[in-house]
Each structure stands twice: as C-alpha cells, then as structure tokens.
Short mmCIF file of all heavy atoms in Angstrom, two decimals:
data_model
loop_
_atom_site.label_atom_id
_atom_site.label_comp_id
_atom_site.label_asym_id
_atom_site.label_seq_id
_atom_site.Cartn_x
_atom_site.Cartn_y
_atom_site.Cartn_z
N GLY A 8 -178.82 70.54 -80.64
CA GLY A 8 -179.14 69.59 -79.58
C GLY A 8 -178.38 68.28 -79.70
O GLY A 8 -177.84 67.77 -78.71
N SER A 9 -178.30 67.72 -80.90
CA SER A 9 -177.64 66.42 -81.08
C SER A 9 -176.14 66.52 -80.77
O SER A 9 -175.57 65.61 -80.15
CB SER A 9 -177.86 65.89 -82.50
OG SER A 9 -177.35 66.79 -83.47
N HIS A 10 -175.52 67.62 -81.18
CA HIS A 10 -174.09 67.79 -80.87
C HIS A 10 -173.87 67.95 -79.37
O HIS A 10 -172.87 67.48 -78.82
CB HIS A 10 -173.53 69.00 -81.63
CG HIS A 10 -173.38 68.76 -83.10
ND1 HIS A 10 -174.43 68.87 -83.98
CD2 HIS A 10 -172.30 68.41 -83.85
CE1 HIS A 10 -174.00 68.59 -85.21
NE2 HIS A 10 -172.72 68.30 -85.15
N THR A 11 -174.82 68.61 -78.70
CA THR A 11 -174.70 68.80 -77.26
C THR A 11 -174.90 67.48 -76.52
O THR A 11 -174.22 67.21 -75.52
CB THR A 11 -175.69 69.87 -76.77
OG1 THR A 11 -175.44 71.08 -77.49
CG2 THR A 11 -175.56 70.13 -75.29
N VAL A 12 -175.83 66.65 -77.00
CA VAL A 12 -176.01 65.32 -76.41
C VAL A 12 -174.70 64.53 -76.46
O VAL A 12 -174.29 63.90 -75.47
CB VAL A 12 -177.15 64.55 -77.13
CG1 VAL A 12 -177.17 63.08 -76.69
CG2 VAL A 12 -178.50 65.20 -76.85
N VAL A 13 -174.03 64.58 -77.60
CA VAL A 13 -172.75 63.87 -77.74
C VAL A 13 -171.73 64.38 -76.71
O VAL A 13 -171.07 63.58 -76.03
CB VAL A 13 -172.20 64.02 -79.18
CG1 VAL A 13 -170.73 63.61 -79.26
CG2 VAL A 13 -173.03 63.21 -80.15
N GLU A 14 -171.61 65.70 -76.60
CA GLU A 14 -170.64 66.27 -75.65
C GLU A 14 -170.99 65.91 -74.21
O GLU A 14 -170.09 65.63 -73.40
CB GLU A 14 -170.56 67.79 -75.82
CG GLU A 14 -170.02 68.25 -77.17
CD GLU A 14 -168.63 67.71 -77.49
OE1 GLU A 14 -167.77 67.68 -76.59
OE2 GLU A 14 -168.41 67.30 -78.65
N LEU A 15 -172.28 65.92 -73.88
CA LEU A 15 -172.70 65.54 -72.53
C LEU A 15 -172.35 64.08 -72.24
O LEU A 15 -171.82 63.75 -71.17
CB LEU A 15 -174.21 65.75 -72.36
CG LEU A 15 -174.71 67.19 -72.24
CD1 LEU A 15 -176.22 67.24 -72.45
CD2 LEU A 15 -174.35 67.79 -70.88
N GLN A 16 -172.67 63.21 -73.19
CA GLN A 16 -172.39 61.79 -72.99
C GLN A 16 -170.89 61.54 -72.85
O GLN A 16 -170.47 60.73 -72.01
CB GLN A 16 -172.96 60.97 -74.14
CG GLN A 16 -174.47 60.88 -74.13
CD GLN A 16 -175.01 60.00 -75.25
OE1 GLN A 16 -174.40 59.88 -76.32
NE2 GLN A 16 -176.16 59.39 -75.02
N GLU A 17 -170.11 62.25 -73.65
CA GLU A 17 -168.66 62.06 -73.58
C GLU A 17 -168.07 62.59 -72.27
O GLU A 17 -166.96 62.21 -71.90
CB GLU A 17 -167.99 62.68 -74.80
CG GLU A 17 -168.31 61.89 -76.07
CD GLU A 17 -167.60 62.38 -77.32
OE1 GLU A 17 -167.15 63.54 -77.33
OE2 GLU A 17 -167.53 61.59 -78.29
N ARG A 18 -168.83 63.45 -71.58
CA ARG A 18 -168.42 63.93 -70.26
C ARG A 18 -169.01 63.09 -69.13
O ARG A 18 -168.84 63.41 -67.96
CB ARG A 18 -168.85 65.40 -70.09
CG ARG A 18 -167.97 66.40 -70.81
CD ARG A 18 -166.60 66.54 -70.13
NE ARG A 18 -166.77 66.80 -68.70
CZ ARG A 18 -167.00 68.00 -68.19
NH1 ARG A 18 -167.08 69.06 -68.99
NH2 ARG A 18 -167.16 68.15 -66.90
N GLY A 19 -169.73 62.03 -69.49
CA GLY A 19 -170.21 61.11 -68.47
C GLY A 19 -171.62 61.36 -67.97
O GLY A 19 -172.08 60.70 -67.03
N PHE A 20 -172.34 62.32 -68.57
CA PHE A 20 -173.72 62.57 -68.17
C PHE A 20 -174.66 61.53 -68.80
O PHE A 20 -174.39 61.01 -69.88
CB PHE A 20 -174.17 63.97 -68.59
CG PHE A 20 -173.52 65.09 -67.81
CD1 PHE A 20 -172.49 65.83 -68.36
CD2 PHE A 20 -173.95 65.39 -66.52
CE1 PHE A 20 -171.88 66.86 -67.65
CE2 PHE A 20 -173.36 66.42 -65.81
CZ PHE A 20 -172.32 67.15 -66.36
N ASP A 21 -175.76 61.28 -68.12
CA ASP A 21 -176.85 60.44 -68.63
C ASP A 21 -177.87 61.39 -69.27
O ASP A 21 -178.32 62.33 -68.63
CB ASP A 21 -177.46 59.68 -67.46
CG ASP A 21 -178.64 58.82 -67.88
OD1 ASP A 21 -178.66 58.37 -69.04
OD2 ASP A 21 -179.55 58.63 -67.05
N VAL A 22 -178.22 61.16 -70.53
CA VAL A 22 -179.06 62.11 -71.28
C VAL A 22 -180.40 61.50 -71.64
O VAL A 22 -180.48 60.35 -72.07
CB VAL A 22 -178.34 62.58 -72.57
CG1 VAL A 22 -179.24 63.52 -73.37
CG2 VAL A 22 -177.02 63.26 -72.24
N VAL A 23 -181.45 62.29 -71.44
CA VAL A 23 -182.76 61.95 -71.97
C VAL A 23 -183.20 63.08 -72.89
O VAL A 23 -183.06 64.26 -72.55
CB VAL A 23 -183.81 61.68 -70.86
CG1 VAL A 23 -183.92 62.84 -69.89
CG2 VAL A 23 -185.18 61.36 -71.46
N ILE A 24 -183.69 62.73 -74.07
CA ILE A 24 -184.10 63.70 -75.09
C ILE A 24 -185.61 63.76 -75.16
O ILE A 24 -186.29 62.74 -75.14
CB ILE A 24 -183.54 63.30 -76.48
CG1 ILE A 24 -182.02 63.40 -76.51
CG2 ILE A 24 -184.17 64.15 -77.59
CD1 ILE A 24 -181.40 62.82 -77.78
N VAL A 25 -186.14 64.98 -75.25
CA VAL A 25 -187.54 65.19 -75.65
C VAL A 25 -187.53 65.98 -76.95
O VAL A 25 -186.88 67.03 -77.05
CB VAL A 25 -188.33 65.97 -74.58
CG1 VAL A 25 -189.69 66.41 -75.14
CG2 VAL A 25 -188.53 65.13 -73.33
N ASP A 26 -188.22 65.46 -77.97
CA ASP A 26 -188.29 66.16 -79.26
C ASP A 26 -189.58 65.74 -79.95
O ASP A 26 -189.97 64.57 -79.87
CB ASP A 26 -187.08 65.79 -80.13
CG ASP A 26 -186.78 66.84 -81.19
OD1 ASP A 26 -187.69 67.15 -82.00
OD2 ASP A 26 -185.63 67.34 -81.24
N ASN A 27 -190.24 66.69 -80.62
CA ASN A 27 -191.45 66.32 -81.36
C ASN A 27 -191.15 65.97 -82.82
O ASN A 27 -192.06 65.68 -83.60
CB ASN A 27 -192.51 67.42 -81.28
CG ASN A 27 -192.10 68.70 -81.98
OD1 ASN A 27 -191.01 68.79 -82.58
ND2 ASN A 27 -192.95 69.72 -81.93
N LEU A 28 -189.86 66.03 -83.20
CA LEU A 28 -189.39 65.67 -84.55
C LEU A 28 -190.00 66.56 -85.64
O LEU A 28 -190.08 66.15 -86.80
CB LEU A 28 -189.66 64.18 -84.86
CG LEU A 28 -189.00 63.18 -83.90
CD1 LEU A 28 -189.37 61.75 -84.30
CD2 LEU A 28 -187.48 63.34 -83.89
N SER A 29 -190.38 67.77 -85.29
CA SER A 29 -190.94 68.67 -86.31
C SER A 29 -189.85 69.21 -87.24
O SER A 29 -190.14 69.60 -88.37
CB SER A 29 -191.66 69.85 -85.64
OG SER A 29 -190.77 70.65 -84.90
N ASN A 30 -188.60 69.23 -86.77
CA ASN A 30 -187.52 69.71 -87.64
C ASN A 30 -186.27 68.84 -87.48
O ASN A 30 -185.14 69.31 -87.55
CB ASN A 30 -187.18 71.17 -87.34
CG ASN A 30 -186.33 71.79 -88.43
OD1 ASN A 30 -186.49 71.50 -89.61
ND2 ASN A 30 -185.38 72.63 -88.04
N SER A 31 -186.50 67.55 -87.22
CA SER A 31 -185.37 66.61 -87.09
C SER A 31 -185.87 65.20 -87.38
O SER A 31 -187.06 65.00 -87.61
CB SER A 31 -184.78 66.69 -85.67
OG SER A 31 -185.75 66.34 -84.70
N GLN A 32 -184.93 64.26 -87.34
CA GLN A 32 -185.29 62.89 -87.71
C GLN A 32 -184.85 61.91 -86.63
O GLN A 32 -183.79 62.08 -86.02
CB GLN A 32 -184.64 62.52 -89.06
CG GLN A 32 -185.18 63.39 -90.20
CD GLN A 32 -184.44 63.16 -91.51
OE1 GLN A 32 -183.34 62.63 -91.54
NE2 GLN A 32 -185.07 63.57 -92.62
N ILE A 33 -185.63 60.87 -86.44
CA ILE A 33 -185.38 59.90 -85.38
C ILE A 33 -184.05 59.16 -85.59
O ILE A 33 -183.40 58.71 -84.64
CB ILE A 33 -186.55 58.89 -85.28
CG1 ILE A 33 -186.47 58.07 -83.98
CG2 ILE A 33 -186.62 57.99 -86.51
CD1 ILE A 33 -186.71 58.86 -82.73
N GLU A 34 -183.60 59.08 -86.85
CA GLU A 34 -182.35 58.37 -87.16
C GLU A 34 -181.14 59.04 -86.50
O GLU A 34 -180.07 58.42 -86.38
CB GLU A 34 -182.13 58.30 -88.67
CG GLU A 34 -183.08 57.37 -89.41
CD GLU A 34 -184.47 57.96 -89.61
OE1 GLU A 34 -184.64 59.20 -89.46
OE2 GLU A 34 -185.41 57.18 -89.90
N VAL A 35 -181.30 60.29 -86.09
CA VAL A 35 -180.20 60.98 -85.39
C VAL A 35 -179.77 60.19 -84.16
O VAL A 35 -178.58 60.16 -83.81
CB VAL A 35 -180.64 62.42 -85.00
CG1 VAL A 35 -179.64 63.07 -84.06
CG2 VAL A 35 -180.81 63.27 -86.25
N LEU A 36 -180.72 59.52 -83.50
CA LEU A 36 -180.38 58.71 -82.32
C LEU A 36 -179.38 57.61 -82.67
O LEU A 36 -178.47 57.31 -81.89
CB LEU A 36 -181.65 58.09 -81.72
CG LEU A 36 -182.69 59.05 -81.14
CD1 LEU A 36 -183.92 58.27 -80.69
CD2 LEU A 36 -182.13 59.87 -79.99
N ASP A 37 -179.55 57.00 -83.84
CA ASP A 37 -178.62 55.95 -84.28
C ASP A 37 -177.21 56.51 -84.42
O ASP A 37 -176.23 55.86 -84.02
CB ASP A 37 -179.06 55.37 -85.63
CG ASP A 37 -180.44 54.72 -85.58
OD1 ASP A 37 -180.82 54.25 -84.49
OD2 ASP A 37 -181.13 54.72 -86.62
N ASN A 38 -177.12 57.72 -84.96
CA ASN A 38 -175.80 58.30 -85.21
C ASN A 38 -175.14 58.81 -83.93
O ASN A 38 -173.92 58.75 -83.79
CB ASN A 38 -175.91 59.39 -86.26
CG ASN A 38 -176.26 58.82 -87.63
OD1 ASN A 38 -175.91 57.69 -87.93
ND2 ASN A 38 -176.96 59.58 -88.45
N ILE A 39 -175.95 59.30 -83.00
CA ILE A 39 -175.39 59.65 -81.68
C ILE A 39 -174.79 58.40 -81.05
O ILE A 39 -173.67 58.42 -80.51
CB ILE A 39 -176.48 60.25 -80.77
CG1 ILE A 39 -176.88 61.65 -81.25
CG2 ILE A 39 -176.00 60.31 -79.31
CD1 ILE A 39 -178.09 62.24 -80.54
N GLU A 40 -175.53 57.28 -81.15
CA GLU A 40 -175.05 56.02 -80.57
C GLU A 40 -173.76 55.54 -81.25
O GLU A 40 -172.86 55.01 -80.59
CB GLU A 40 -176.14 54.95 -80.68
CG GLU A 40 -175.80 53.66 -79.97
CD GLU A 40 -176.94 52.64 -80.00
OE1 GLU A 40 -177.94 52.88 -80.71
OE2 GLU A 40 -176.82 51.62 -79.30
N LYS A 41 -173.66 55.75 -82.57
CA LYS A 41 -172.44 55.36 -83.28
C LYS A 41 -171.23 56.17 -82.78
O LYS A 41 -170.12 55.64 -82.70
CB LYS A 41 -172.60 55.59 -84.79
CG LYS A 41 -173.46 54.55 -85.48
CD LYS A 41 -173.64 54.90 -86.95
CE LYS A 41 -174.67 53.98 -87.61
NZ LYS A 41 -174.99 54.42 -88.98
#
C-alpha cells in the first residue's frame, strides 16, 4: 500500500489512506512525505 501511495502521488493523484495499523506503523506517513 505505501509503495502504491507513492506511485499515485507521483502521478498527480490525491490520496487518502484508511488503515487500522494492525500490521503497519504510523511513521510510514512521514516517509511517504519525505
């Protein structure tokens, strides 16, 4: 999902994420932004 968000954003899409964080970490958002 995180890699796909990056590719979508780089193609000009506006992305909203829904995740319950059961198998991921909120810090991923920081790295997508970087």
Side-chain angles (χ1 to χ4, degrees):
S9 59
H10 288 81
T11 303
V12 170
V13 166
E14 295 302 318
L15 286 165
Q16 289 183 331
E17 291 184 340
R18 283 289 308 277
F20 289 103
D21 177 30
V22 177
V23 55
I24 293 171
V25 169
D26 203 304
N27 67 1
L28 301 179
S29 64
N30 194 36
S31 61
Q32 296 173 342
I33 193 68
E34 290 77 16
V35 170
L36 295 175
D37 299 332
N38 292 331
I39 290 171
E40 187 176 8
K41 284 176 189 172

